[in-house]
Amino acid sequence: MSIISKDIQKAVQLLTEEQLVAIPTETVYGLAGNIFSEKAIKSIFSTKQRPFFNPLIVHISSVKSLNNLVTHVPEKAKLLAAAFWPGSMTLVLKKSKTIPDIITAGKDTVAVRVPNHPITLALLKKLPFPLAAPSANPFGSISPTKPAHVENYFRNSIKMVLDGGSCANGIESTIIGFENEEPVIYRLGALPLEEIEAVVGKISIKNKKEEKPDAPGMLARHYAPKTSTFLVDDVAGEIEKNKGKKMGVLVFKSSLNNENITEIILSKNGSLQEAASRLYSAMHDLDSKNLDLIIAERFSEFGLGKSINDRLQRATFK
Ligand code: TXA
Ligand code: MG
């Protein structure tokens, strides 16, 4: 029997019983549990096989809930929250004592966001506690943007995926931390850099592949298909080099008109928003076709193109 259901009341019940429910957000599906339940939080880590050094994002229904969770909100964080919540932005702020250390991997900061999805906002309003929710995929795998993706990963380990349809934005939230009161991007994501800078001015980016990353979404290999994946400017040239192999190709808007390849066009009318929303689903599809390799076209480093390139780059590391 399918674990996909639209029954919000059942989700409330499971979460209240310290169990996990996969929840829809506008970015990707999350694997959610009560932040105050040690049992639920441990089970998030074990279900995902996620290392404990990787902290979780806390999801709340409105900015009002922030006061109980953090001790200080920098001025520019207030501006960002007012501009973009509910939305695809996570703020990393100094945590209050109420947040269990297991949520933050012992850090003195906590990542928080108000997701922009009507079903999950309704769910959060019915619950007396916030939800910790990492993306609902095994550690390092492609994030889920449809209920069926989550079901394929976790049908034997969780009881319910709350059905909220396909995720409108399709890549994870942009994570912003603060250093000396100034915002710093820790992870590029669904909220384009340019929109953030329009609110708080020029912002520095620490979205590097580091040994001990501030945000492990920054680990070099992440969001990765099992099939070897290559990110290139010249897709036709790469196809030529791999003649005879079974190839999947991910292009932005123009078809290569090559019948020997499996091609997915992310947005025929060239919309970055549409391309981002379809990116992971396309990666899931190509990854299920037993191909020898996947070739992805590099996007222009502008707006969401920058975030899409970041995810594609991390999908290519071996
Ligand atoms: O769009 C999203 O953000 C989705 C949906 C479900 O909300 N969630 C998500 O969670 O992508 P996850 O766990 O896959 O990624 C959370 C990222 C990780 O890279 C983690 O290291 C970082 O947030 N993070 C969490 N707490 C942090 C903290 N205190 N300081 C720095 N980074 C933190
Ligand atoms: Mg993730």
Side-chain angles (χ1 to χ4, degrees):
M1 215 185 78
S2 174
I3 58 169
I4 300 170
S5 157
K6 289 190 193 299
D7 187 348
I8 295 193
Q9 217 40 54
K10 186 175 161 204
V12 169
Q13 189 193 333
L14 288 168
L15 290 162
T16 306
E17 290 167 358
E18 305 185 87
Q19 304 204 52
L20 305 186
V21 173
I23 56 166
T25 83
E26 82 285 19
T27 60
V28 300
Y29 273 75
L31 185 62
N34 174 355
I35 66 160
F36 300 119
S37 160
E38 194 179 315
K39 180 182 160 207
I41 301 308
K42 282 193 169 153
S43 120
I44 290 179
F45 282 95
S46 61
T47 303
K48 271 185 69 91
Q49 294 174 301
R50 177 180 177 113
F52 280 104
F53 67 72
N54 196 351
L56 304 176
I57 297 177
V58 172
H59 295 70
I60 54 179
S61 65
S62 96
V63 67
K64 285 184 215 126
S65 313
L66 201 56
N67 291 334
N68 305 323
L69 308 178
V70 306
T71 56
H72 173 64
V73 186
E75 279 311 310
K76 287 188 177 173
K78 287 180 191 156
L79 288 176
L80 288 167
F84 299 118
W85 277 350
S88 306
M89 173 189 72
T90 295
L91 296 179
V92 176
L93 301 168
K94 285 274 179 267
K95 86 176 198 71
S96 73
K97 286 201 196 76
T98 50
I99 306 280
D101 285 333
I102 185 172
I103 299 283
T104 63
K107 285 172 180 281
D108 64 356
T109 52
V110 62
V112 189
R113 103 177 171 96
V114 182
N116 190 15
H117 193 293
I119 292 176
T120 288
L121 286 172
L123 172 68
L124 285 165
K125 287 193 181 115
K126 285 177 191 278
L127 294 168
F129 47 80
L131 292 174
S135 53
N137 51 277
F139 187 65
S141 307
I142 309 166
S143 299
T145 54
K146 294 180 177 179
H149 296 155
V150 186
E151 186 170 54
N152 288 340
Y153 284 139
F154 296 132
R155 60 161 53 80
N156 296 320
S157 45
I158 64 172
K159 294 216 172 94
M160 178 175 177
V161 181
L162 181 58
D163 187 355
S166 293
C167 302
N169 290 352
I171 58 177
E172 295 80 356
S173 61
T174 303
I175 301 182
I176 305 177
F178 292 84
E179 298 180 3
N180 301 318
E181 301 286 294
E182 286 300 314
V184 175
I185 302 260
Y186 288 156
R187 179 176 73 182
L188 291 165
L191 184 64
L193 184 62
E194 291 83 349
E195 288 189 30
I196 298 164
E197 291 188 330
V199 174
V200 290
K202 193 88 190 132
I203 185 165
S204 65
I205 304 180
K206 285 200 178 171
N207 185 62
K208 294 270 152 53
K209 297 144 214 142
E210 293 168 11
E211 278 290 301
K212 258 191 156 182
D214 281 326
M218 297 157 66
L219 287 172
R221 181 182 164 85
H222 216 101
Y223 317 108
K226 294 192 205 77
T227 315
S228 295
T229 302
F230 300 86
L231 176 60
V232 301
D233 294 304
D234 175 14
V235 179
E238 196 65 26
I239 292 173
E240 191 60 29
K241 272 196 232 157
N242 286 284
K243 250 193 192 150
K245 292 188 185 158
K246 276 198 286 173
M247 284 177 267
V249 172
L250 211 52
V251 292
F252 178 23
K253 54 186 174 195
S254 312
S255 175
L256 291 148
N257 296 315
N258 180 336
E259 56 199 24
N260 300 316
I261 59 170
T262 306
E263 178 183 79
I264 296 182
I265 303 170
L266 289 171
S267 173
K268 286 196 173 120
N269 50 28
S271 149
L272 286 170
Q273 161 75 34
E274 185 185 27
S277 74
R278 297 189 57 215
L279 178 69
Y280 288 152
S281 199
M283 280 162 64
H284 278 279
D285 285 352
L286 291 178
D287 205 22
S288 69
K289 290 192 184 329
N290 282 315
L291 300 164
D292 296 321
L293 72 158
I294 297 171
I295 300 167
E297 178 181 8
R298 196 187 308 279
F299 281 65
S300 302
E301 281 281 311
F302 171 77
L304 283 175
K306 214 176 167 66
S307 306
I308 293 172
N309 282 340
D310 175 78
R311 298 304 190 271
L312 286 171
Q313 186 66 55
R314 288 170 210 281
T316 65
F317 267 82
K318 275 172 278 300

